Amino acid sequence: MEVASLWWTGTQSHLRSARTTAQRLETAKRCVNFSLPVTSITTRIVADAIATRRGEITHNGRPPTPSTVNRDMIDTTLRPILNYARRVLEIRGLPEIDWKALRFSEPKGRVREFTSAEIELIRSKIAHLPHHRDLFEFMTLFGVRLREAWFPLNCLDVDGGRIFLRKRKGGDWHTIPLDDTWKALLAARAGRAVKAELDTVWFYDNRMGDLRALTPRAFQSYMAGVLSSLGIADARPVHDLRHHAGTHYVRRTGNLTGAQRLLGHENIATTARYAHASENDVREGLFGIPAQNPPQSGEIRKITE
């Protein structure tokens, strides 16, 4: 399918997401015969490819999730490639693909906000490890994705008080603002990183007194152990920090647009997930009082008598 090469060169190879897309393209090539003419790609062929991908085993020893299959085989590879063939290359005779029938249903996205008690438990657990502590506070406040936290040093603008995270589809940058405390902390870390010839502000001092870069996987693994040791259930070790930051921002400010800018969402409908209201929110809105202990069964009987 020569169209795939033309699509890659013309629309994907220059993007910041090129590496991820390239990996998904290689996945699609395992499941579809890319030597076939593009005009022979039918719904049945795509369905067989999707079934092949669903039957594979990922690095964690389990089949890929429905969401992963949809992204790997439809959203970022086959559908945009065939659309490119139709709309840009103007290739005639392309079969109509029933993408809706091919997609796996995906579970509704959940939003996990940590309680104040849980946050304090985590803080006390990692207080003696400044590299994990600082990164935890950074992610809990700013809600960045795991990979975004490892921003290049030249994306830290101390004078301007911001971090440039990524260039978005519209051409503008997703940035996050810094206050004086975070400017000072990250500037100090960046200075040490430069001297140690590291490319990240997240590092630790080893026993020999040298600096070693902290990796995303190491932090994720460490946080998984922390949550497990503290008995904090139903929480993903890193991505739920992003959920917490978004929900906490909306709860504190009521500004959904601000949360959208903070989290870098293209569509505000994505951000709207963080605007969910808890029973305590409703109670405070109605009565202006904080949450109280629920009445005991005896008290309920007195009320109803």
Side-chain angles (χ1 to χ4, degrees):
M1 200 160 50
E2 294 181 6
V3 171
S5 297
L6 295 173
W7 167 78
W8 168 259
T9 303
T11 68
Q12 302 297 310
S13 60
H14 61 284
L15 300 179
R16 291 174 62 88
S17 58
R19 181 177 179 181
T20 299
T21 303
Q23 292 172 342
R24 288 177 177 158
L25 190 57
E26 289 301 315
T27 297
K29 287 180 178 179
R30 290 200 307 269
C31 304
V32 182
N33 182 0
F34 268 55
S35 65
L36 292 172
V38 68
T39 53
S40 68
I41 303 299
T42 63
T43 299
R44 176 58 184 271
I45 288 176
V46 177
D48 289 343
I50 288 174
T52 298
R53 175 57 177 148
R54 191 71 176 98
E56 293 183 335
I57 300 299
T58 63
H59 66 278
N60 59 17
R62 297 190 295 269
T65 65
S67 300
T68 297
V69 175
N70 288 339
R71 288 195 300 269
D72 287 348
M73 304 303 299
I74 298 178
D75 297 335
T76 61
T77 55
L78 298 181
R79 185 167 61 181
I81 289 171
L82 294 176
N83 285 342
Y84 184 81
R86 188 187 308 276
R87 299 170 184 172
V88 179
L89 302 181
E90 298 181 343
I91 296 176
R92 299 180 181 276
L94 290 171
E96 291 292 336
I97 306 296
D98 190 347
W99 299 111
K100 184 176 181 180
L102 292 170
R103 290 186 65 84
F104 284 111
S105 60
E106 300 180 18
K108 185 177 179 181
R110 82 198 231 305
V111 174
R112 171 65 153 93
E113 182 184 12
F114 292 94
T115 66
S116 298
E118 288 173 335
I119 292 292
E120 291 307 315
L121 277 175
I122 296 171
R123 282 175 174 157
S124 64
K125 182 75 172 181
I126 65 178
H128 65 294
L129 297 172
H131 51 288
H132 283 129
R133 179 196 64 211
D134 291 348
L135 181 52
F136 170 78
E137 296 294 349
F138 180 80
M139 298 192 71
T140 303
L141 177 62
F142 296 108
V144 299
R145 298 177 179 87
L146 180 61
R147 293 291 175 179
E148 289 176 339
W150 270 258
F151 53 86
L153 295 180
N154 61 5
C155 287
L156 173 61
D157 178 11
V158 176
D159 293 334
R162 66 177 65 88
I163 299 173
F164 294 88
L165 291 181
R166 62 184 175 88
K167 204 165 188 177
R168 302 192 293 186
K169 294 179 181 179
D172 62 326
W173 280 82
H174 173 206
T175 63
I176 53 175
L178 304 172
D179 65 1
D180 290 340
T181 299
W182 277 105
K183 283 193 292 185
L185 187 150
L186 293 177
R189 281 189 159 274
R192 294 190 67 194
V194 169
K195 290 181 180 179
E197 298 183 348
L198 301 179
D199 58 2
T200 177
V201 297
W202 308 119
F203 50 75
Y204 61 94
D205 297 88
N206 67 8
R207 295 179 179 178
M208 303 299 294
D210 300 322
L211 296 189
R212 291 288 183 269
L214 182 66
T215 66
R217 179 169 291 187
F219 178 69
Q220 188 173 37
S221 176
Y222 175 77
M223 287 304 302
V226 168
L227 295 181
S228 177
S229 67
L230 294 175
I232 298 177
D234 188 31
R236 291 171 292 183
V238 173
H239 196 69
D240 282 341
L241 298 180
R242 176 172 171 83
H243 288 181
H244 176 86
T247 303
H248 189 65
Y249 182 95
V250 174
R251 190 185 302 280
R252 187 173 64 251
T253 68
N255 187 340
L256 200 59
T257 304
Q260 179 189 15
R261 178 63 185 260
L262 171 67
L263 299 173
H265 290 154
E266 301 290 341
N267 191 331
I268 200 167
T270 305
T271 319
R273 292 191 305 156
Y274 300 96
H276 61 88
S278 68
E279 180 181 321
N280 291 343
D281 296 328
V282 176
R283 178 183 290 107
E284 291 186 26
L286 286 172
F287 310 115
I289 57 176
Q292 298 177 351
N293 293 328
Q296 302 299 313
S297 58
E299 295 173 333
I300 295 175
R301 286 197 296 271
K302 292 179 182 178
I303 293 172
T304 56
E305 289 175 352

